[in-house]
Short mmCIF file of all heavy atoms in Angstrom, two decimals:
data_model
loop_
_atom_site.label_atom_id
_atom_site.label_comp_id
_atom_site.label_asym_id
_atom_site.label_seq_id
_atom_site.Cartn_x
_atom_site.Cartn_y
_atom_site.Cartn_z
N LEU A 56 -12.49 42.76 -7.78
CA LEU A 56 -12.76 43.12 -6.39
C LEU A 56 -11.59 42.69 -5.50
O LEU A 56 -11.07 43.34 -4.65
CB LEU A 56 -14.08 42.76 -5.95
CG LEU A 56 -15.33 43.45 -6.32
CD1 LEU A 56 -16.58 42.70 -5.86
CD2 LEU A 56 -15.29 44.90 -5.78
N ARG A 57 -11.37 41.44 -5.66
CA ARG A 57 -10.28 40.70 -4.79
C ARG A 57 -8.94 41.32 -5.02
O ARG A 57 -8.23 41.76 -4.05
CB ARG A 57 -10.23 39.23 -5.11
CG ARG A 57 -9.31 38.45 -4.25
CD ARG A 57 -9.42 36.98 -4.49
NE ARG A 57 -8.95 36.61 -5.78
CZ ARG A 57 -7.72 36.42 -6.12
NH1 ARG A 57 -6.73 36.41 -5.12
NH2 ARG A 57 -7.39 36.04 -7.39
N LEU A 58 -8.49 41.40 -6.27
CA LEU A 58 -7.14 41.83 -6.55
C LEU A 58 -6.92 43.29 -6.41
O LEU A 58 -5.81 43.78 -6.02
CB LEU A 58 -6.76 41.43 -8.02
CG LEU A 58 -6.66 39.84 -8.24
CD1 LEU A 58 -6.47 39.61 -9.70
CD2 LEU A 58 -5.50 39.31 -7.38
N ARG A 59 -8.01 44.07 -6.58
CA ARG A 59 -7.89 45.54 -6.38
C ARG A 59 -7.52 45.93 -4.95
O ARG A 59 -6.94 46.89 -4.64
CB ARG A 59 -9.28 46.18 -6.75
CG ARG A 59 -9.19 47.71 -6.72
CD ARG A 59 -10.56 48.16 -7.32
NE ARG A 59 -10.72 49.65 -7.14
CZ ARG A 59 -11.32 50.24 -6.22
NH1 ARG A 59 -12.04 49.40 -5.33
NH2 ARG A 59 -11.50 51.57 -6.07
N ARG A 60 -8.05 45.10 -4.06
CA ARG A 60 -7.76 45.29 -2.66
C ARG A 60 -6.44 44.74 -2.17
O ARG A 60 -5.78 45.21 -1.37
CB ARG A 60 -8.92 44.71 -1.78
CG ARG A 60 -8.79 44.99 -0.22
CD ARG A 60 -10.08 44.47 0.37
NE ARG A 60 -10.00 44.70 1.83
CZ ARG A 60 -9.45 43.79 2.67
NH1 ARG A 60 -9.00 42.61 2.27
NH2 ARG A 60 -9.37 44.13 3.99
N LEU A 61 -6.08 43.57 -2.76
CA LEU A 61 -4.93 42.80 -2.22
C LEU A 61 -3.71 43.02 -3.04
O LEU A 61 -2.54 43.03 -2.45
CB LEU A 61 -5.26 41.33 -2.30
CG LEU A 61 -6.31 40.83 -1.36
CD1 LEU A 61 -6.62 39.30 -1.58
CD2 LEU A 61 -6.03 41.03 0.01
N SER A 62 -3.72 43.20 -4.35
CA SER A 62 -2.52 43.16 -5.06
C SER A 62 -1.85 44.55 -5.16
O SER A 62 -2.58 45.60 -5.23
CB SER A 62 -2.76 42.74 -6.58
OG SER A 62 -1.66 42.81 -7.34
N ARG A 63 -0.57 44.60 -5.11
CA ARG A 63 0.23 45.89 -5.18
C ARG A 63 0.49 46.15 -6.69
O ARG A 63 0.95 47.28 -6.92
CB ARG A 63 1.52 45.77 -4.45
CG ARG A 63 1.42 45.54 -2.98
CD ARG A 63 2.65 45.54 -2.23
NE ARG A 63 2.51 45.33 -0.78
CZ ARG A 63 3.55 45.22 0.08
NH1 ARG A 63 4.82 45.21 -0.45
NH2 ARG A 63 3.31 45.11 1.30
N ASN A 64 0.10 45.24 -7.50
CA ASN A 64 0.30 45.50 -8.93
C ASN A 64 -1.04 45.81 -9.56
O ASN A 64 -1.93 45.00 -9.68
CB ASN A 64 0.87 44.24 -9.58
CG ASN A 64 1.02 44.39 -11.13
OD1 ASN A 64 0.88 45.45 -11.71
ND2 ASN A 64 1.38 43.31 -11.79
N PRO A 65 -1.28 47.15 -10.00
CA PRO A 65 -2.60 47.47 -10.53
C PRO A 65 -3.05 46.64 -11.71
O PRO A 65 -4.19 46.44 -11.96
CB PRO A 65 -2.41 48.98 -10.86
CG PRO A 65 -1.27 49.39 -10.02
CD PRO A 65 -0.35 48.22 -9.95
N ARG A 66 -2.06 46.16 -12.49
CA ARG A 66 -2.36 45.43 -13.76
C ARG A 66 -3.05 44.13 -13.35
O ARG A 66 -3.78 43.59 -14.25
CB ARG A 66 -1.14 45.28 -14.58
CG ARG A 66 -0.58 46.52 -15.13
CD ARG A 66 0.64 46.27 -16.00
NE ARG A 66 0.16 45.52 -17.25
CZ ARG A 66 1.10 45.14 -18.10
NH1 ARG A 66 2.37 45.36 -17.95
NH2 ARG A 66 0.70 44.46 -19.14
N ALA A 67 -2.69 43.58 -12.23
CA ALA A 67 -3.27 42.22 -11.88
C ALA A 67 -4.85 42.36 -11.76
O ALA A 67 -5.49 41.47 -12.22
CB ALA A 67 -2.79 41.82 -10.55
N ALA A 68 -5.32 43.48 -11.23
CA ALA A 68 -6.73 43.59 -11.11
C ALA A 68 -7.34 44.15 -12.46
O ALA A 68 -8.41 43.70 -12.93
CB ALA A 68 -7.14 44.59 -10.06
N ALA A 69 -6.56 45.02 -13.14
CA ALA A 69 -7.07 45.68 -14.32
C ALA A 69 -7.30 44.67 -15.43
O ALA A 69 -8.23 44.94 -16.37
CB ALA A 69 -6.06 46.69 -14.86
N ARG A 70 -6.62 43.56 -15.50
CA ARG A 70 -6.79 42.59 -16.59
C ARG A 70 -8.16 41.93 -16.60
O ARG A 70 -8.54 41.24 -17.54
CB ARG A 70 -5.68 41.60 -16.57
CG ARG A 70 -5.76 40.62 -15.43
CD ARG A 70 -4.46 39.63 -15.38
NE ARG A 70 -4.39 38.81 -14.37
CZ ARG A 70 -5.00 37.55 -14.35
NH1 ARG A 70 -5.57 37.09 -15.44
NH2 ARG A 70 -4.85 36.78 -13.27
N HIS A 71 -8.87 42.04 -15.36
CA HIS A 71 -10.19 41.50 -15.34
C HIS A 71 -11.28 42.52 -15.72
O HIS A 71 -12.48 41.99 -15.87
CB HIS A 71 -10.37 40.97 -13.90
CG HIS A 71 -9.61 39.81 -13.49
ND1 HIS A 71 -9.81 38.52 -13.88
CD2 HIS A 71 -8.50 39.73 -12.76
CE1 HIS A 71 -8.97 37.69 -13.34
NE2 HIS A 71 -8.15 38.47 -12.71
N VAL A 72 -10.87 43.65 -15.88
CA VAL A 72 -11.95 44.74 -16.26
C VAL A 72 -12.51 44.46 -17.63
O VAL A 72 -13.83 44.47 -17.73
CB VAL A 72 -11.31 46.10 -16.22
CG1 VAL A 72 -12.36 47.19 -16.74
CG2 VAL A 72 -10.88 46.51 -14.73
N ARG A 73 -11.72 44.29 -18.58
CA ARG A 73 -12.28 44.15 -19.88
C ARG A 73 -13.13 42.89 -20.01
O ARG A 73 -14.25 42.95 -20.64
CB ARG A 73 -11.09 44.05 -20.94
CG ARG A 73 -11.62 44.04 -22.41
CD ARG A 73 -10.43 43.95 -23.37
NE ARG A 73 -10.85 43.90 -24.78
CZ ARG A 73 -10.07 43.59 -25.76
NH1 ARG A 73 -8.71 43.51 -25.54
NH2 ARG A 73 -10.61 43.50 -27.03
N PRO A 74 -12.69 41.66 -19.59
CA PRO A 74 -13.63 40.55 -19.67
C PRO A 74 -14.94 40.75 -18.95
O PRO A 74 -16.03 40.32 -19.41
CB PRO A 74 -12.77 39.44 -19.02
CG PRO A 74 -11.41 39.86 -19.26
CD PRO A 74 -11.38 41.35 -19.07
N ALA A 75 -14.86 41.45 -17.81
CA ALA A 75 -16.07 41.66 -17.09
C ALA A 75 -17.01 42.61 -17.79
O ALA A 75 -18.26 42.31 -17.88
CB ALA A 75 -15.81 42.23 -15.64
N LEU A 76 -16.46 43.65 -18.38
CA LEU A 76 -17.34 44.59 -19.12
C LEU A 76 -17.89 43.97 -20.34
O LEU A 76 -19.11 44.09 -20.72
CB LEU A 76 -16.55 45.82 -19.48
CG LEU A 76 -16.17 46.73 -18.33
CD1 LEU A 76 -15.34 47.93 -18.74
CD2 LEU A 76 -17.51 47.25 -17.61
N VAL A 77 -17.13 43.24 -21.21
CA VAL A 77 -17.42 42.76 -22.42
C VAL A 77 -18.59 41.66 -22.15
O VAL A 77 -19.62 41.60 -22.79
CB VAL A 77 -16.34 42.16 -23.20
CG1 VAL A 77 -16.83 41.24 -24.43
CG2 VAL A 77 -15.40 43.27 -23.66
N THR A 78 -18.28 40.77 -21.26
CA THR A 78 -19.24 39.70 -21.04
C THR A 78 -20.54 40.21 -20.36
O THR A 78 -21.67 39.71 -20.51
CB THR A 78 -18.70 38.44 -20.24
OG1 THR A 78 -18.05 39.06 -19.02
CG2 THR A 78 -17.58 37.83 -21.02
N GLY A 79 -20.32 41.28 -19.51
CA GLY A 79 -21.49 41.88 -18.85
C GLY A 79 -22.41 42.53 -19.97
O GLY A 79 -23.64 42.44 -19.86
N VAL A 80 -21.81 43.25 -20.86
CA VAL A 80 -22.61 43.85 -21.91
C VAL A 80 -23.28 42.80 -22.83
O VAL A 80 -24.47 42.87 -23.18
CB VAL A 80 -21.74 44.74 -22.76
CG1 VAL A 80 -22.44 45.25 -24.01
CG2 VAL A 80 -21.35 46.00 -21.97
N ALA A 81 -22.54 41.74 -23.11
CA ALA A 81 -23.05 40.63 -23.87
C ALA A 81 -24.27 39.88 -23.18
O ALA A 81 -25.23 39.55 -23.78
CB ALA A 81 -21.97 39.61 -24.14
N THR A 82 -24.10 39.81 -21.81
CA THR A 82 -25.18 39.22 -21.03
C THR A 82 -26.45 40.06 -21.21
O THR A 82 -27.60 39.52 -21.44
CB THR A 82 -24.84 39.15 -19.60
OG1 THR A 82 -23.69 38.36 -19.41
CG2 THR A 82 -25.94 38.53 -18.82
N ALA A 83 -26.34 41.35 -21.12
CA ALA A 83 -27.44 42.27 -21.30
C ALA A 83 -28.04 42.18 -22.67
O ALA A 83 -29.23 42.17 -22.84
CB ALA A 83 -27.04 43.75 -20.98
N ALA A 84 -27.17 42.11 -23.71
CA ALA A 84 -27.60 42.09 -25.04
C ALA A 84 -28.45 40.86 -25.30
O ALA A 84 -29.48 40.88 -26.05
CB ALA A 84 -26.44 42.17 -26.03
N VAL A 85 -28.07 39.70 -24.77
CA VAL A 85 -28.77 38.49 -24.93
C VAL A 85 -30.04 38.42 -24.02
O VAL A 85 -31.09 37.98 -24.39
CB VAL A 85 -27.87 37.20 -24.68
CG1 VAL A 85 -28.71 35.92 -24.89
CG2 VAL A 85 -26.70 37.20 -25.66
N GLY A 86 -29.84 38.92 -22.79
CA GLY A 86 -30.81 38.79 -21.75
C GLY A 86 -32.02 39.75 -21.88
O GLY A 86 -33.07 39.41 -21.57
N ILE A 87 -31.79 40.97 -22.47
CA ILE A 87 -32.94 41.91 -22.47
C ILE A 87 -34.04 41.39 -23.39
O ILE A 87 -35.26 41.38 -23.05
CB ILE A 87 -32.42 43.32 -22.98
CG1 ILE A 87 -31.61 43.91 -21.80
CG2 ILE A 87 -33.60 44.15 -23.38
CD1 ILE A 87 -30.92 45.27 -22.25
N PRO A 88 -33.77 40.86 -24.64
CA PRO A 88 -34.87 40.26 -25.40
C PRO A 88 -35.54 39.12 -24.71
O PRO A 88 -36.76 39.00 -24.84
CB PRO A 88 -34.13 39.83 -26.76
CG PRO A 88 -32.90 40.65 -26.79
CD PRO A 88 -32.50 40.85 -25.32
#
Side-chain angles (χ1 to χ4, degrees):
L56 282 172
R57 181 176 68 87
L58 294 172
R59 182 170 174 265
R60 182 174 181 271
L61 293 176
S62 178
R63 296 180 179 179
N64 180 6
R66 296 185 62 184
R70 68 186 178 88
H71 292 282
V72 172
R73 185 180 179 189
L76 290 177
V77 171
T78 54
V80 170
T82 301
V85 178
I87 289 174

